[in-house]
């Protein structure tokens, strides 16, 4: 059976067309190219056909002023109705796989599995059938940030019970789609939705930094481990699929060569990636020791009777350790890290716990997102760090991309992709990093969370003013189709 990961698992470097200087840059034959989206960002149809309310519905409706352009995902790119057009675009691109996410409240309107929305099941079944008809493999994310509001009313990811509800939801997905999908991602970027959602101003906007973000992370890790084990017990034998998780990792480069900045950068990597990767991918499991040590110590100094970072039981450590068949990695940009020499503030804060001050070089080329600067060499360093830290795990780049202003002439996007793919090629061929696939974010423009429609990542432009949300290929779509179809970087591209 076709699957994203079964291709990956028989991946071998014999397929690699190794290049000398000035020769064509080609990826191994088995290497796969795809595109990604997420349910809330493209589907629209927020309250039709039985879908329940998500935290992003509630948040954008009750706080439109917090979204940069006051828009929301009510209609977005309307992929709920236009998914066939989306699949046509993928066919034009010639990509081998499509990474999309399932909306939990579209499947389970109140979050719980006692009530299944058959129209939701039907929608994803039609999408999966359409992909199959076009020979495009699915890579499915179970959770890309759109929690059912009813579960948020119980505390969302800060309530330990949610791990069991997530298992119930995952079981519904395996039962409904497991014959069509065999490569799954439990979560997209737990760092982002715990840090920004529970520690900051993304939905649900809890802004409990240094506290709720850690509770969220703890329960996400428990939920992930439980789903992995449940799949092994109940589905692996018949469905023969693979379950992984997507983590985000911007490269953290020391701002100077001083020992303290080198150390600070390493601590930041552990807080950003290690928080989720160490419990799952390291040999010892559990939180990174430096994270445990710093948060325990600072909590004590702040007069807390116990650490703000929760503790796993030894059974949980074992359950979570090794609970992924592969790593999904999202990488966009690079930061510089300096040691934070300020005194410990009395109130909890993730940034204080982490102890680094992040910046970016003004001369790094910009995107349309303040946080995203173009630094391809950081990609290669990030991949090498992952290789060394976690025994070179099978890795799929599940997102990489750039936002620009609207317009079809996006040569800067072509340059971004080209630069990052060169870095990736070096990481694979020269450094032997075990990366087996690359996903461009995004297939089409979409609702960019708190930035609304103002930041555009698409290979296809979406005209939000048109009634049928017209999609038009950008220059970069032509470039990426060459890459996806030849698995080589075009020698010249204008
Ligand atoms: C990702 N960073 O988020 C998300 O998975 C997507 O939903 C989103 O549209 C996309 O990137 C573009 O923003 C990230 O600060 C947000 O390094 C921020 C960072 C990385 C990823």
């Amino acid at each position: 059976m076709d699957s994203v990961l079964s291709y990956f698992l028989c991946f071998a470097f014999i397929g690699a067309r190794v290049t000398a200087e000035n020769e064509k840059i080609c990826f191994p034959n088995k290497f796969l190219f795809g595109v990604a989206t997420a349910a809330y960002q493209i589907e629209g149809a927020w309250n039709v056909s039985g879908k329940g309310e998500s935290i992003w519905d509630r948040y954008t409706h009750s706080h439109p002023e917090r979204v940069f352009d006051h828009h929301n995902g009510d209609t977005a790119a309307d992929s709920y109705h236009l998914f066939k057009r989306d699949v046509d675009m993928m066919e034009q691109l010639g990509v081998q796989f499509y990474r999309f996410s399932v909306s939990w409240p579209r499947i389970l309107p109140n979050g719980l599995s006692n009530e299944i929305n058959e129209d939701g099941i039907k929608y994803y079944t039609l999408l999966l059938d359409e992909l199959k008809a076009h020979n495009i493999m699915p890579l499915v994310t179970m959770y890309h940030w759109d929690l059912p509001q009813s579960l948020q009313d119980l505390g969302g990811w800060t309530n330990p019970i949610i791990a069991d509800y997530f298992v119930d939801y995952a079981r519904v997905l395996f039962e409904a789609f497991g014959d069509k999908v065999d490569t799954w991602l439990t979560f997209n970027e737990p760092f982002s939705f715990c840090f920004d959602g529970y520690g900051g101003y993304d939905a649900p906007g809890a802004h409990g930094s240094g506290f709720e973000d850690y509770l969220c992370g703890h329960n996400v890790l428990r939920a992930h481990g439980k789903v992995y084990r449940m799949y092994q017990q109940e589905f692996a034998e018949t469905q023969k699929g693979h379950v992984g998780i997507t983590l985000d990792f911007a490269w953290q480069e020391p701002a100077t060569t001083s020992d303290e900045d080198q150390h600070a950068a390493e601590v930041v990597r552990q807080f950003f990636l290690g928080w989720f990767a160490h419990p799952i991918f390291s040999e010892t499991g559990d939180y990174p020791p430096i994270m445990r040590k710093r948060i325990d110590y600072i909590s004590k100094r702040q007069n807390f009777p116990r650490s703000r970072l929760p503790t796993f039981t030894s059974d949980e450590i074992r359950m979570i350790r090794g609970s992924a068949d592969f790593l999904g990695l999202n990488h966009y940009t690079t930061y510089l890290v300096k040691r934070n020499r300020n005194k410990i503030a009395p109130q909890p804060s993730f940034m204080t716990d982490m102890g680094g001050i992040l910046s970016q070089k003004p001369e790094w080329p910009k995107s349309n997102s303040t946080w995203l600067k173009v630094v391809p060499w950081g990609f290669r360093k990030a991949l090498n760090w992952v290789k060394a830290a976690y025994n070179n795990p099978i890795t799929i780049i599940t997102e990489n991309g750039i936002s620009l202003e609207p317009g079809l002439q996006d040569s800067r996007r072509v340059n971004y992709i080209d630069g990052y793919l060169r870095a990736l090629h070096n990481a694979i061929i020269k450094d032997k990093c075990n990366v087996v696939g690359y996903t461009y974010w995004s297939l089409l423009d979409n609702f960019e969370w708190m930035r609304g429609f103002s930041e555009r990542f698409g290979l296809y432009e979406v005209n939000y003013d048109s009634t049928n949300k017209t999609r038009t290929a950008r220059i970069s779509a032509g470039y990426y189709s060459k890459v996806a179809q030849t698995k080589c970087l075009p020698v010249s591209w204008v």
Side-chain angles (χ1 to χ4, degrees), residues 37-38 41 99 144-145 188-189 191-192 196 202 246 248-252 272 330-335 360 369 371-372 398-399 401 403 441-442 446-449 451 455 457:
T37 62
Q41 296 181 271
R99 173 178 180 234
H144 200 125
W145 308 0
N188 178 67
E189 299 190 353
F191 178 88
S192 288
D196 290 322
D202 277 15
T246 280
D248 46 320
F249 190 33
W251 177 242
Q252 308 293 341
F272 276 40
N330 291 356
H331 177 88
Y332 288 87
T333 196
T334 287
Y335 292 92
Q360 291 178 309
S369 309
W371 56 273
L372 203 173
T398 40
E399 287 180 31
S403 62
W441 179 275
S442 177
N446 55 59
F447 183 75
E448 179 55 20
W449 310 110
R451 306 300 299 172
E455 297 180 9
F457 282 86

Side-chain angles (χ1 to χ4, degrees), residues 469-487:
K469 309 290 172 202
T470 313
R471 288 107 156 97
T472 313
R474 295 197 164 110
I475 295 288
S476 57
Y479 165 84
Y480 195 60
S481 73
K482 287 257 179 332
V483 174
Q485 289 175 36
T486 63
K487 309 212 172 164

Side-chain angles (χ1 to χ4, degrees), residues 262-307:
Q262 304 268 350
H263 178 70
E266 181 60 17
V267 175
V268 174
R269 289 170 209 138
Q270 293 293 348
F271 268 72
F272 276 40
L273 181 68
W275 180 7
F276 295 96
H278 197 277
I280 300 173
F281 293 96
S282 74
E283 256 169 53
T284 46
D286 204 355
Y287 290 116
I290 188 68
M291 193 172 176
R292 176 90 268 160
K293 192 168 146 196
R294 286 188 65 95
I295 301 171
D296 289 1
Y297 171 75
I298 297 172
S299 300
K300 204 177 253 169
R301 290 274 306 267
Q302 290 169 330
N303 240 354
F304 287 96
R306 72 185 68 82
S307 178

